Amino acid sequence: MAEDKQNREFTDEELQDLVASSDAGARTPSTPWVAALIGLTALAWSLFQLWIAQPMLWFGAYFPVLNSSETRPIHLAFAVFLAFLCYPAMKSSPRDRVPLVDWALAIVATGTALYVFFFADTLAQTARSGLPTQNQVIIAAIGIVLLLEASRRALGPALTIVGAIFLAYAYFGTGWLIPDLIAHEGLSFTSLMTAQWLDTAGVFGIPLGVSTAFVFLFVLFGSLLDKAGAGNYFIQLAFAGLGHLRGGPAKAAVVGSAMTGLISGSSIANVVTTGTFTIPLMKRVGFTSEQAGSVEVASSVNGQIMPPVMGAAAFLMVEFIGISYVQVIKHAFVPAVISYIALVYIVHLEALKKDMPALGEGASLLRMALNFAIGFAVFGFGFIAMIYLIGGLNAVLPGLTGPIVMIGLAAVYVWLVAIAARQKDLDPENLEPTEDGQITLPKTADVWKTGLHYVLPILVLVWFLMVEQQSPAKSAFYATALMLFIIVTQRPLKALFRKGDSIAEAGKAGLFDLVDGLIAGARNMIGIGVATAAAGIIVATVTKTPIGTELAALVEQLSGGILIIMLVLIGLFSLVLGMGLPTTANYIVVSSLMAGVVVSLGAQEGLIVPLIAAHLFVFYFGIMADVTPPVGLASFAAAAVSGGDPIKTGFIAFFYSLRTVALPFLFIYNPTLILYGVDLGTATGVAHAVFVFIVATFAMLLFAAATQGYFLARSRIHESAMLLLVAFTFFVPNFWLNQVQPRFIESDPAAFEQTLAEADPGGRIRLRIEGPDFNTGDMTQTTLSLVVPEAEGQARMDETGLMLRPNAEGAEAALEEPMFGTPIQEDLSSFDFYSDDPVRISQVLAPNDNRLPAQIFYIPALLLLGLVIVLQRRRQTKPAF
């Protein structure tokens, strides 16, 4: 009986309840006025976010302007109020009504958040000046407790437990449960409450600020797109293009989930939305229940790393690292795309291994890939042409460019809706088998015309992000504004063009779609809003206590100072946290503790690890939170659709996601994979990026073939090992070159000034610095990558910020404290320059310009690949593509 219950397929109603329970709240009050209040509150939240995001348009002058310290409390007030009304306290709690206790908790929690808004001036003069009142401390304590309870309801107990542990650690400081390594004096209760709630950091710090300014708009944008019908359009388009291939439903699941990932920030909703159609069809062509669910999980979870709309953690990177969102997109693009291409190939290999049939007349994967490449190239050239066209228009008519572009955009929109009106509306049930079990896949020619207007808001988003270089908030606002216009007008316009439909009824339906989309967007934000606020507790604790530096030192000690071992430990740490924390909270915790350590330990090994690479490393392992057994929510959602075992589904999904696990290690050791140091503003840089993409894609396909045990035929162990070796060589060719030729030429540290003077401007010199640690006094060391300035003579030395100590007896190349305000000062801030033992340059490494190109090792790799091909061709029984 238990097995039957576990392995049964859920109904559509149960699946929607599953999504609601995790994303929007499972409570659906039967009392009309309560349901209306929840809906109106969610609607008001969306309208508030649109108001504070509008970039001072003509109507902006009539509304008051709020700063970030005022918008964050209001944002949290909405989140906690809806959390207590929408999420039951227990599984046994009523779902058709809101108990009086929950009303009381919602009102009090909202009041504690709004207190920070209404009494901001008072707090500035008291608590934030170090003089909190007793009432303020009590309000803060109540607010933190209720926030943790809201987090428990919306996200499960993990984040609440972690937050409570960090609070207890900050307060007690020492104790038998606290290791001496991270012990401290402890904060007073007043100081703790001030830091966590009353100050501008803590709960109301950067994570909540990102949720307020960026994340809400992107979630709302996706919700409106989905409500307009874009989700169904993308799924149908994927099936029309890929459904006829071997294992076509699985390939369509991957591509459909990638496109749905553009509009859905929730991997669970992605699983249920696309999986409802893809999983039964995957099972029909030969995938087991667990395999079908695993393919859907692996493809849905990766939606969070797919530009241009990534998960909430990507927006946190913008604030934590101090780079633009466009740069985050640039660095994330290649790994995300090759990860999806590899997953398509993985399911293709599964289809070959099981000799799965195609649905309908078979087609060629290579031909499909060629058609996609041609379409992508045409789109790319069209986009570039549009950039030059608008640029030329702006040069000729600068004052009229905006109105002309808006009129042109409106005309294109009306034209695309007119094209869509001539087609039959897409019915999601078209993908379901008929009574006799037959399936008729949609045709690309019939599908692609029905939803081209959905691409326009995505284009607007990309335009403002990539071309206009606007902020994520402003870009999302313009894209959402266009989406609001589309969702209201598309139905009336279709009715107008079809002539037989009622325009009034269509307009009314459009307004209902608008309201439903605004409400759904806000309800989908409840968990994120609460999670980012609760995660602020952890961030504040890290900054107020020594746990950040000392825990990092512990990990460094456990790894023996070896970077690869430390990366494995950090990955395992993320996976363990991922068993209970959502991706965003997982990223905040691990990046706060470990990202800087990856950079510093890499420097000690002589490896310059970009900070963005360290954060992406944490981010990639964070997204595994929804996959990792035994509590991966996406795996449970997929099992609910497929009727398979959720634990087994999670393990298979993790196996399919090995490429996502491998990529972070690869771009730590080869940052070119994330286009670090590649200038996309030049033709040479673009060509370099294209080369990196092609080589990385080829390598990832070989990695997928090795891990799946199938290439041209079933692979033997030694063949899989050879494929892994070839893939590794293409990913990190420098590894082999470093074994043959040194990367740098060592020079005398005492002659550093001469080495610097003789170096070419713009080149890099690596310096090994060693000296006493400022906190412990122990000898430590780090590696700096120094860019050679353009200046000449002493001015070149001055621009570096380094100052050599004159006539240092017994200590060659000893350093004075670096010049104030220079980057070098921050890099060397951990050293004690006033100790008896001097800080000095122990090693100077200049680039070895006479090395062979690393790509020379592609030749033996290709020869080894050729050997694998020859061995497997003898056993090949079916076409490879």
Side-chain angles (χ1 to χ4, degrees):
M1 289 294 291
E3 183 178 352
D4 292 342
K5 184 177 180 180
Q6 183 184 37
N7 294 341
R8 72 182 181 88
E9 295 185 26
F10 283 40
T11 65
D12 287 343
E13 183 178 348
E14 289 173 321
L15 291 173
Q16 294 306 316
D17 181 66
L18 177 65
V19 175
S21 298
S22 60
D23 288 343
R27 186 174 279 150
T28 52
S30 56
T31 308
W33 73 267
V34 176
L37 176 64
I38 292 175
L40 288 173
T41 303
L43 179 63
W45 192 7
S46 289
L47 294 176
F48 166 76
Q49 295 289 156
L50 287 170
W51 161 39
I52 64 174
Q54 60 87 19
M56 294 309 294
L57 300 175
W58 60 268
F59 54 81
Y62 299 98
F63 295 97
V65 177
L66 301 178
N67 59 40
S68 61
S69 62
E70 294 171 315
T71 57
R72 293 175 189 180
I74 298 177
H75 181 84
L76 181 59
F78 276 115
V80 293
F81 183 76
L82 289 172
F84 282 109
L85 295 189
C86 296
Y87 289 89
M90 303 289 179
K91 289 184 178 180
S92 58
S93 300
R95 295 191 173 194
D96 59 344
R97 62 184 177 84
V98 180
L100 289 176
V101 173
D102 287 358
W103 280 110
L105 294 177
I107 293 170
V108 174
T110 305
T112 57
L114 290 179
Y115 176 85
V116 178
F117 169 73
F118 285 116
F119 295 93
D121 293 338
T122 303
L123 288 172
Q125 298 170 6
T126 54
R128 293 169 189 171
S129 299
L131 300 170
T133 65
Q134 184 177 2
N135 289 338
Q136 290 171 346
V137 173
I138 293 173
I139 291 172
I142 295 173
I144 288 176
V145 170
L146 293 182
L147 173 61
L148 292 176
E149 168 59 13
S151 171
R152 184 194 67 79
R153 293 185 180 211
L155 304 165
L159 184 56
T160 301
I161 293 172
V162 171
I165 290 173
F166 271 77
L167 285 172
Y169 162 72
Y171 177 68
F172 291 106
T174 58
W176 64 276
L177 287 175
I178 300 176
D180 292 338
L181 181 67
I182 59 173
H184 63 103
E185 294 181 356
L187 301 177
S188 67
F189 187 76
T190 299
S191 298
L192 182 62
M193 293 301 103
T194 301
Q196 296 288 3
W197 191 271
L198 302 176
D199 204 351
T200 53
V203 169
F204 299 99
I206 289 177
L208 185 63
V210 171
S211 177
T212 306
F214 302 154
V215 179
F216 192 103
L217 286 176
F218 281 88
V219 171
L220 180 60
F221 174 68
S223 177
L224 292 171
L225 259 176
D226 187 48
K227 193 63 184 178
N232 180 44
Y233 171 69
F234 290 147
I235 294 170
Q236 300 258 7
L237 192 62
F239 268 96
L242 299 168
H244 298 281
L245 301 172
R246 280 179 178 267
K251 296 183 176 77
V254 175
V255 176
S257 292
M259 292 190 290
T260 305
L262 294 174
I263 65 175
S264 172
S266 167
S267 55
I268 299 167
N270 199 338
V271 165
V272 172
T273 301
T274 58
T276 303
F277 307 108
T278 60
I279 289 176
L281 293 180
M282 280 191 269
K283 291 168 65 177
R284 185 179 179 85
V285 297
F287 284 89
T288 65
S289 297
E290 287 77 17
Q291 283 179 323
S294 300
V295 170
E296 185 59 51
V297 170
S299 53
S300 295
V301 168
N302 269 30
Q304 296 183 66
I305 62 173
M306 190 67 188
V309 182
M310 301 167 66
F315 299 103
L316 287 163
M317 276 186 218
V318 173
E319 298 296 321
F320 287 170
I321 305 177
I323 62 176
S324 69
Y325 185 62
V326 174
Q327 289 177 290
V328 173
I329 291 175
K330 168 191 169 182
H331 296 310
F333 179 78
V334 170
V337 174
I338 66 173
S339 182
Y340 267 112
I341 292 174
L343 186 55
V344 171
Y345 186 53
I346 286 172
V347 298
H348 176 71
L349 293 175
E350 288 286 358
L352 290 178
K353 282 194 286 187
K354 295 192 173 186
D355 199 17
M356 296 179 186
L359 289 175
E361 186 178 350
S364 168
L365 178 62
L366 284 178
R367 187 179 297 115
M368 290 290 181
L370 181 61
N371 291 338
F372 175 80
I374 293 173
F376 186 81
V378 170
F379 174 81
F381 282 121
F383 192 76
I384 293 172
M386 186 169 62
I387 293 174
Y388 282 105
L389 178 64
I390 295 178
L393 183 63
N394 192 44
V396 177
L397 300 169
L400 296 176
T401 302
I404 292 174
V405 171
M406 290 182 65
I407 293 171
L409 183 64
V412 171
Y413 165 65
V414 173
W415 174 54
L416 293 178
V417 173
I419 293 174
R422 299 191 193 104
Q423 313 299 317
K424 185 179 179 182
D425 288 338
L426 298 176
D427 185 355
E429 296 183 359
N430 288 344
L431 296 176
E432 296 181 0
T434 59
E435 293 182 0
D436 58 359
Q438 297 299 314
I439 297 174
T440 303
L441 290 175
K443 296 180 179 179
T444 305
D446 296 333
V447 174
W448 72 271
K449 300 177 184 178
T450 62
L452 284 176
H453 55 289
Y454 297 135
V455 180
L456 291 179
I458 298 175
L459 278 177
V460 168
L461 177 65
V462 173
W463 179 271
F464 278 100
L465 278 174
M466 308 294 289
V467 181
E468 298 288 339
Q469 299 283 302
Q470 298 289 343
S471 67
K474 194 172 183 179
S475 303
F477 174 81
Y478 284 125
T480 304
L482 178 58
M483 199 58 240
L484 293 172
F485 177 74
I486 288 175
I487 201 170
V488 170
T489 59
Q490 66 169 346
R491 287 179 183 267
L493 283 175
K494 284 184 179 180
L496 176 65
F497 290 124
R498 287 171 177 168
K499 297 181 180 178
D501 298 338
S502 170
I503 297 178
E505 289 296 323
K508 184 178 179 181
L511 289 174
F512 279 123
D513 286 342
L514 172 64
V515 173
D516 288 345
L518 291 171
I519 292 174
R523 292 195 63 160
N524 288 338
M525 269 300 299
I526 298 172
I528 297 176
V530 170
T532 51
I537 295 173
I538 298 164
V539 174
T541 302
V542 171
T543 58
K544 296 289 183 181
T545 66
I547 187 172
T549 56
E550 298 301 336
L551 189 59
L554 175 61
V555 174
E556 184 178 337
Q557 183 179 350
L558 291 174
S559 66
I562 301 173
L563 181 61
I564 185 64
I565 297 178
M566 190 187 71
L567 291 173
V568 171
L569 291 175
I570 292 174
L572 291 174
F573 183 40
S574 295
L575 291 178
V576 171
L577 282 180
M579 293 181 183
L581 294 185
T583 302
T584 305
N586 192 350
Y587 166 75
I588 291 171
V589 174
V590 183
S591 64
S592 300
L593 295 173
M594 299 297 171
V597 189
V598 173
V599 176
S600 61
L601 188 56
Q604 290 181 26
E605 289 194 7
L607 182 70
I608 304 301
V609 179
L611 187 57
I612 178 65
H615 278 262
L616 282 174
F617 181 92
V618 174
F619 183 29
Y620 267 63
F621 276 93
I623 68 170
M624 302 304 292
D626 289 335
V627 179
T628 313
V631 289
L633 295 180
S635 299
F636 275 81
V641 179
S642 68
D645 178 73
I647 302 298
K648 190 175 180 181
T649 299
F651 277 110
I652 296 175
F654 184 80
F655 181 69
Y656 285 159
S657 300
L658 281 178
R659 72 206 188 286
T660 307
V661 174
L663 274 171
F665 290 96
L666 295 170
F667 56 61
I668 286 288
Y669 285 94
N670 183 11
T672 309
L673 287 173
I674 57 174
L675 301 183
Y676 183 79
V678 177
D679 185 4
L680 297 181
T682 64
T684 303
V686 172
H688 188 191
V690 171
F691 177 75
V692 169
F693 175 75
I694 293 172
V695 172
T697 301
F698 181 66
M700 184 52 72
L701 293 180
L702 294 177
F703 177 83
T707 55
Q708 291 302 304
Y710 195 101
F711 185 38
L712 304 180
R714 289 190 180 274
S715 299
R716 292 175 178 144
I717 294 178
H718 64 277
E719 292 171 343
S720 292
M722 286 190 286
L723 288 174
L724 282 175
L725 185 60
V726 174
F728 176 77
T729 302
F730 276 95
F731 273 126
V732 195
N734 282 329
F735 175 83
W736 303 112
L737 184 60
N738 294 340
Q739 313 307 312
V740 178
Q741 290 181 310
R743 300 169 61 194
F744 303 97
I745 299 174
E746 188 169 356
S747 61
D748 185 5
F752 168 64
E753 284 190 272
Q754 181 180 349
T755 303
L756 181 67
E758 295 174 352
D760 295 329
R764 286 184 178 270
I765 296 177
R766 295 201 176 193
L767 304 178
R768 178 67 60 87
I769 310 293
E770 65 177 29
D773 183 87
F774 185 81
N775 295 313
T776 65
D778 298 333
M779 295 301 290
T780 185
Q781 62 183 11
T782 189
T783 300
L784 299 178
S785 179
L786 190 68
V787 179
V788 179
E790 296 285 345
E792 299 292 338
Q794 183 61 38
R796 174 174 287 190
M797 186 70 181
D798 292 341
E799 284 193 24
T800 66
L802 290 172
M803 298 175 62
L804 291 173
R805 184 183 297 181
N807 303 321
E809 185 176 346
E812 293 182 338
L815 296 173
E816 298 280 8
E817 188 170 9
M819 293 184 185
F820 181 76
T822 61
I824 292 291
Q825 184 203 23
E826 183 177 349
D827 293 334
L828 301 181
S829 59
S830 61
F831 288 97
D832 185 359
F833 287 89
Y834 302 97
S835 171
D836 293 336
D837 296 320
V839 178
R840 67 187 188 92
I841 302 174
S842 62
Q843 188 180 51
V844 178
L845 298 173
N848 184 359
D849 297 327
N850 297 319
R851 293 214 308 170
L852 293 169
Q855 290 73 22
I856 196 74
F857 288 94
Y858 290 171
I859 297 174
L862 288 172
L863 291 175
L864 187 59
L865 176 61
L867 176 60
V868 175
I869 292 174
V870 169
L871 292 174
Q872 295 207 352
R873 280 295 297 270
R874 300 173 182 175
R875 307 194 305 273
Q876 185 177 2
T877 58
K878 57 181 75 71
F881 293 99

